[in-house]
Amino acid sequence: MRRIAILLTSMPESGGEHQYLVLLMETLIKYNNIYFEVTPICCNRFWRKWCQENHMEFIRYEQEKYAPAFMELNARCYRVFKLYNTYFSKLGKIITDNKIDLLIGGQQSTFLPALPCKLLQPVHDLMHKFEMDFEEIRNSYRERETHFSSSSRFVDVVLVDSALGRRQYLDCYYKKGRHIPHIRVLPFATPDYKRKEPEYVRTPDKYIFYPAQFWTHKNHKNLLKAISLLKERIPDIHLILVGSEKNALREIKKMIQNNALDQNVTIMGFVSDGQVMFLYQNAVALVMPTYFGPTNIPPLEAMALGCPVIASDKYAMPEQTGDAGLFFNPDSPEELAICIERVWNNEELRQTMIAKGYEQNKKWTAEKFKKRFLNIILKELKVSVS
């Protein structure tokens, strides 16, 4: 029987990448010892506990860090470094000792060095190639670009989130005569909330909701400008923000104060899954003004939980949400304000969007995700299903 290992590197604070990795792992557990044998490689306490709760034996591993120069050498001298990594790295020893046929990288930020097995790498976005205006992207450009450009020369399979993601990967890294991975489209799926209960959160009677870490590219500033415009026409307009503190939070708080929005905006920080459920289910709408894509998880969560979606028209987000959403130019607070006002004042429109959201969400279920992923794995391992 073929053997698969998966690097479990994420934490719940990792957001969408963590949810994606949970779905990958749930798929592997479901078919473990049927089509293949699974070896989880746990890099933190969360995943060790998760494997214990799911009765999975696992290997403890302290994740190795790779400098950009090392990544480049893996690409330029692939055969030499394949031997080097096999015999002199902790990960290589795990692969050889357990006779692994396929290693799955858990997150796109996890570099997989050349190893004596097939390698599968998720690549959720290449925004460092398309959104260089943001400081957080400029600061990480070299590491991200070295990582992706190097791995593209020897990784066997790349998972992308959309047809647009596939085109972007080919445009950025395909060179005639050079190795190109098999690029498989595996869109994000709606997280499974059936096993969770909403947790009450004290909120205003009406509010719009934005769950996002406070990176500049999440575009909180134009959202606050839209709220400021709406305040004149809708005095009780209210925005709830949740998410881990990142580089733009101080500026966001200052902007709220300078524009007298203290009574119109609530920042809750990082909240539990149950609280997120409650906030979606009771919001007038999700608003998603981010500059990044190709797709994002919050629109899927919103549609699954009966929350209308107002989203940026960037990249593949209109494809993800379909006619269930309203879309706007993320550079235009005026367009965003118009979309919010339409949903805020029109309950009939809101209910129509909710119904369409439930229908659109059927395309992105966890069950469909798992079937797609299983088919990708079986194809790469050349395992036939009787």
Side-chain angles (χ1 to χ4, degrees):
M1 186 173 284
R2 309 304 294 277
R3 296 184 178 184
I4 296 173
I6 180 167
L7 273 172
L8 300 173
T9 53
S10 67
M11 291 290 287
E13 294 81 6
S14 305
E17 279 193 285
H18 178 72
Q19 295 173 19
Y20 195 89
L21 184 50
V22 169
L23 283 172
L24 296 185
M25 193 58 194
E26 287 179 349
T27 307
L28 296 178
I29 284 182
K30 183 176 181 179
Y31 298 103
N32 187 30
N33 296 320
I34 299 174
Y35 301 123
F36 39 70
E37 293 178 3
V38 179
T39 300
I41 303 174
C42 296
C43 301
N44 58 52
R45 184 180 300 175
F46 172 88
W47 280 110
R48 291 194 291 271
K49 182 180 178 182
W50 193 95
C51 287
Q52 288 168 348
E53 290 173 348
N54 287 274
H55 312 292
M56 289 287 292
E57 293 185 7
F58 61 88
I59 296 173
R60 292 172 179 261
Y61 171 65
E62 186 175 341
Q63 193 173 358
E64 295 163 276
K65 296 182 179 180
Y66 303 104
F70 182 86
M71 298 180 196
E72 291 172 345
L73 287 170
N74 270 259
R76 292 176 185 172
C77 311
Y78 170 72
R79 290 178 177 82
V80 172
F81 271 81
K82 184 175 180 178
L83 287 171
Y84 174 85
N85 297 328
T86 299
Y87 294 106
F88 295 101
S89 73
K90 295 177 185 177
L91 189 55
K93 182 172 174 56
I94 291 172
I95 297 305
T96 53
D97 288 352
N98 292 274
K99 300 178 180 178
I100 300 301
D101 297 295
L102 172 67
L103 173 64
I104 299 170
Q107 294 177 271
Q108 72 167 15
S109 56
T110 301
F111 178 75
L112 299 180
L115 290 164
C117 65
K118 282 196 169 187
L119 302 174
L120 184 151
Q121 177 78 56
V123 177
H124 301 307
D125 75 78
L126 296 174
M127 292 297 104
H128 69 287
K129 302 285 280 188
F130 301 98
E131 297 290 350
M132 279 288 289
D133 291 340
F134 299 100
E135 180 183 0
E136 59 264 30
I137 294 302
R138 292 194 298 273
N139 290 343
S140 64
Y141 179 86
R142 188 196 170 198
E143 184 174 355
R144 283 172 60 96
E145 177 58 13
T146 303
H147 173 5
F148 293 131
S149 62
S150 298
S151 63
S152 70
R153 297 176 66 175
F154 60 86
V155 164
D156 299 279
V157 189
V158 168
L159 299 181
V160 296
D161 70 339
S162 60
L164 176 60
R166 186 178 189 278
R167 290 198 299 273
Q168 287 180 339
Y169 193 91
L170 285 170
D171 289 344
C172 292
Y173 300 120
Y174 174 75
K175 291 187 179 179
K176 191 173 182 180
R178 182 187 287 182
H179 166 80
I180 188 72
H182 296 148
I183 306 171
R184 309 298 186 198
V185 178
L186 184 64
F188 283 104
T190 305
D192 185 5
Y193 285 108
K194 293 178 183 177
R195 293 172 289 181
K196 299 171 184 172
E197 292 291 330
E199 298 175 31
Y200 173 78
V201 181
R202 187 176 179 180
T203 66
D205 291 337
K206 292 181 74 174
Y207 62 90
I208 56 172
F209 180 45
Y210 186 29
Q213 297 178 353
F214 288 88
W215 292 111
T216 306
H217 70 262
K218 294 297 185 180
N219 200 18
H220 290 83
K221 288 185 178 180
N222 278 339
L223 175 54
L224 291 179
K225 289 178 183 178
I227 297 299
S228 188
L229 290 171
L230 287 168
K231 184 180 175 182
E232 299 179 8
R233 303 192 293 273
I234 310 174
D236 63 338
I237 190 72
H238 202 93
L239 166 67
I240 292 180
L241 302 172
V242 303
S244 301
E245 297 184 10
K246 293 297 179 183
N247 65 338
L249 182 57
R250 183 178 296 179
E251 292 181 54
I252 295 305
K253 287 181 176 179
K254 186 175 181 181
M255 190 173 176
I256 291 170
Q257 187 176 20
N258 291 345
N259 288 275
L261 294 175
D262 303 76
Q263 302 303 311
N264 301 92
V265 181
T266 300
I267 298 176
M268 293 187 177
F270 183 78
V271 296
S272 69
D273 287 347
Q275 290 171 323
V276 167
M277 283 182 68
F278 182 92
L279 291 167
Y280 275 124
Q281 290 173 336
N282 293 278
V284 172
L286 162 75
V287 61
M288 191 79 196
T290 181
Y291 285 101
F292 276 24
T295 61
N296 287 277
I297 285 183
L300 299 178
E301 295 176 317
M303 290 188 292
L305 294 170
C307 180
V309 176
I310 301 170
S312 162
D313 63 4
K314 296 279 281 185
Y315 300 109
M317 283 186 280
E319 174 189 340
Q320 182 183 40
T321 308
D323 65 357
L326 297 180
F327 302 99
F328 60 92
N329 180 341
D331 287 320
S332 173
E334 294 79 12
E335 282 189 29
L336 173 52
I338 289 170
C339 290
I340 293 172
E341 189 170 19
R342 286 182 62 192
V343 182
W344 189 274
N345 290 329
N346 190 334
E347 184 60 24
E348 184 178 351
L349 170 62
R350 185 172 173 275
Q351 292 302 321
T352 298
M353 292 174 70
I354 290 172
K356 289 182 176 180
Y358 285 138
E359 194 63 29
Q360 179 73 1
N361 191 64
K362 291 177 182 178
K363 298 178 181 179
W364 319 118
T365 64
E367 195 57 38
K368 288 183 177 179
F369 177 101
K370 292 174 182 178
K371 287 181 179 178
R372 291 184 184 112
F373 182 50
L374 175 64
N375 288 334
I376 290 168
I377 293 295
L378 295 180
K379 189 170 184 178
E380 292 304 322
L381 292 177
K382 296 181 170 57
V383 174
S384 59
V385 180
S386 56

